[in-house]
Amino acid sequence: MHNTPALGIDIGGSGIKGALVDTAVGDFSTDRIRIPTPAKSTPKNIAEVVSDIVGSFAAELGDGPIGITIPAVVTHGITRSAANIDPSWVDAPAADVFSEHLGRSVMVVNDADAAGIAEVRFGAAAGEQGVVLVTTLGTGIGSALIYRGILVPNTELGHLEIDGKDAEKRAAASVKAAEKLSYARYIPRLQRYYETLEKLFSPDLFVVGGGVSKDSHKFLPQLKLRAPIVPATLRNRAGIIGAALLAAEEN
Ligand code: BGC
């Protein structure tokens, strides 16, 4: 069977990445393109890069669906927050801005929500029917809460206030790097974070993604939780794959 490909684009703090995705198998069907994120990451500047990426895949994509992730709350195509991107994204009509640049409709989704859907369908949480909490440890902390395969979007659990502080300011991977924390000093912060999540959500499974997931053997086995906590398996492909899956379903 030949599946129409969908294009996934993942907007991150340092790079904007895109690839065509075979939505039946949940993997790239082309190489990934990466363009550095413009220094001023405004909607207009980012939309120009997104247009270049779409242009590169235009022939193979045809009129196939396009899904775009963004590290912000997204409700009905409008971005509602901007923790680690240009403040002009707050209340920006993101889907309309992209659509106007591209001359076609797109779907916009929170980055962690896209990654979470990909991990539940094709990655570390495939087959898990209970409550899955996917977190991404990167510049910030992203979260995706999924129950029986259904996503509750925009949970933003990186911004839980724990011990009087915004959780991602203590436990994101970028904080480990900025404060030059050894794993011995970083693990207690992760323990505090995940035990709080467990108390509030009682997930059946935690999945941990983001750049640090490749070193997960250095910290995940140390965490003491009731639920299993496992590394993401789709790694930096999850956002692109999830965005493409969601866009294909919306069509
Ligand atoms: C943002 C989230 C995003 C996460 C990971 C947080 O700072 O508020 O929307 O999912 O970072 O990029």
Side-chain angles (χ1 to χ4, degrees):
M1 195 175 85
H2 180 74
N3 291 296
T4 316
L7 177 60
I9 297 180
D10 195 16
I11 299 173
S14 58
I16 302 178
K17 296 138 285 190
L20 288 181
V21 172
D22 180 336
T23 55
V25 298
D27 206 353
F28 292 0
S29 57
T30 57
D31 283 344
R32 191 185 77 149
I33 287 181
R34 180 184 188 281
I35 299 179
T37 306
K40 197 152 172 41
S41 56
T42 57
K44 182 174 169 291
N45 290 350
I46 289 200
E48 273 160 22
V49 176
V50 165
S51 296
D52 288 347
I53 293 178
V54 173
S56 313
F57 293 109
E60 285 162 278
L61 178 65
D63 59 2
I66 301 174
I68 302 175
T69 79
I70 185 130
V73 169
V74 185
T75 56
H76 311 289
I78 298 171
T79 37
R80 299 289 188 185
S81 66
N84 296 303
I85 46 169
D86 193 86
S88 57
W89 284 94
V90 176
D91 295 334
D96 288 349
V97 171
F98 293 131
S99 296
E100 276 158 28
H101 264 77
L102 297 168
R104 57 195 287 176
S105 65
V106 300
M107 196 246 7
V108 183
V109 59
N110 171 264
D111 56 356
D113 282 343
I117 278 291
E119 290 293 341
V120 165
R121 301 276 175 80
F122 294 105
E128 173 58 62
Q129 281 303 304
V131 176
V132 179
L133 195 42
V134 179
T135 54
T136 58
L137 302 176
T139 309
I141 297 181
S143 62
L145 181 64
I146 295 148
Y147 177 53
R148 297 191 172 171
I150 309 280
L151 171 76
V152 179
N154 297 309
T155 44
E156 292 290 318
L157 299 178
H159 298 297
L160 268 184
E161 188 181 312
I162 302 178
D163 303 328
K165 299 210 172 70
D166 190 37
E168 72 174 25
K169 297 271 174 350
R170 295 274 299 159
S174 62
V175 175
K176 177 183 185 299
E179 296 184 23
K180 299 192 174 59
L181 298 176
S182 61
Y183 276 105
R185 292 183 55 214
Y186 183 47
I187 287 167
R189 296 187 183 197
L190 293 176
Q191 175 65 35
R192 184 83 185 105
Y193 181 57
Y194 285 103
E195 73 192 17
T196 305
L197 290 182
E198 181 153 72
K199 194 166 74 184
L200 295 174
F201 295 96
S202 301
D204 294 292
L205 177 67
F206 283 107
V207 177
V208 180
V212 290
S213 60
K214 64 179 186 314
D215 288 331
S216 64
H217 59 282
K218 296 183 185 162
F219 60 94
L220 289 188
Q222 262 61 269
L223 299 179
K224 291 180 183 46
L225 300 160
R226 274 195 316 276
I229 184 161
V230 299
T233 54
L234 301 173
R235 303 262 175 88
N236 60 7
R237 287 174 301 145
I240 291 177
I241 294 171
L245 292 173
L246 290 166
E249 281 162 20
E250 214 183 49
N251 261 27

